[in-house]
Amino acid sequence: MDADRQSIGREGRLMFIVDSQVHIWAPESPEEPWPKVSGPEMNAGPRFSADDLLREMDAAGVARAVLVPPAHAGNRNELSIAAAMAHPDRFAVMGRLALDQRANRGLIDSWMDQPGIVGMRLNVRTEPGRSWLSDGTLDWFWPAAERAGIPLMIHATGVLDRIGEIAHRHPGLKIAIDHLALHRDVDQKPYVNHATLAALCDIAIHPNIAVKASALPYFSAQPYPFADLHAPIRQVFDAYGPRRVFWGTDLTRRTCTYTEAVELFTKALPWLGEADQQWVMGRALCEWLDWSA
């Protein structure tokens, strides 16, 4: 039961915690080779299973997690769907789909009928997805996803103005922006780009846009409690409010313990009150995805 998997917040009260993004994957094999573009930021090894994740979640007091199939393993949703079917009280899936393949257009209307699926994840930060925003490749998709009621999670660094335009034209389309739209280049310091945060806050005027406060310790140049993240988090929270900010970890890009990633929000931000914590740490995400809590 979810009630048995609640964590303790800063004021000693139980808290229902849901991670907005975690990857699981199986080892590469001749039958299922990984695409050439791999995930250099993954550091959990050649395998990270649902059981591995459950152990981490239980130790950190995390009740649920949204599984996002990782790009380095290709557009495969089967492993994540199987985990959600085996543990429907713990996992749901934001599936991936090759949207440039015309044959896949017929899958949109029934996308949400798949077991465990609660939406779709896109990456338009890098190519080829970035070009798809401007060359017409995705023009058919936005109205189709809106019609089908598919919530989207989008890695959209550098294209936030375009995402704002899409949200304006399709007010029934729910869009959650990954990782506060941040991206960390190898030689970039500081890791938090304030121009990006300003652009993210600008598009908060669209009520169908939310943000995932996920992977944030990865963008800190400091150890826990990650003091350099506190002001950026407050800036985005003030723009979006507690019902459109979803805590998460992207756990396999770990630069800290799972518990430290939890406590960044539950203990280290004194301005984040108990009621707002409850929304940010899980309740808001479940409401946004219509994932009953």
Side-chain angles (χ1 to χ4, degrees), residues 50 57 81 117 156-157 159 166 170 173 202 209 222 225 240 270 274 285 290:
M57 291 168 62
I81 288 175
I117 289 285
T157 306
V159 292
I166 292 164
H170 303 283
L173 181 62
D202 285 345
I209 295 181
Q222 302 178 14
Y240 282 86
E274 179 194 349
L285 177 63
D290 196 24

Side-chain angles (χ1 to χ4, degrees), residues 35-50:
K36 296 298 183 183
V37 178
S38 61
E41 294 168 346
M42 298 289 178
N43 57 15
R47 175 189 180 93
F48 191 71
S49 70

Side-chain angles (χ1 to χ4, degrees), residues 125 155 157 177-184 188 191-194 196-197 200 214 216 219 229 232 253:
R125 183 189 67 80
H155 197 2
T157 306
I177 305 296
D178 291 352
H179 315 327
L180 302 190
L182 298 173
H183 171 68
R184 178 174 138 180
Q188 174 188 339
Y191 299 133
V192 174
N193 186 304
H194 294 282
T196 294
L197 290 181
L200 182 66
S214 48
L216 295 191
F219 299 103
L229 296 176
R253 281 201 291 182

Side-chain angles (χ1 to χ4, degrees), residues 97 102-112 114 120 150:
L97 185 66
R102 183 171 291 271
N104 286 337
R105 296 188 181 189
L107 301 177
I108 297 300
D109 287 343
S110 60
W111 185 258
M112 298 297 289
Q114 299 176 86
M120 187 181 296
I150 303 174

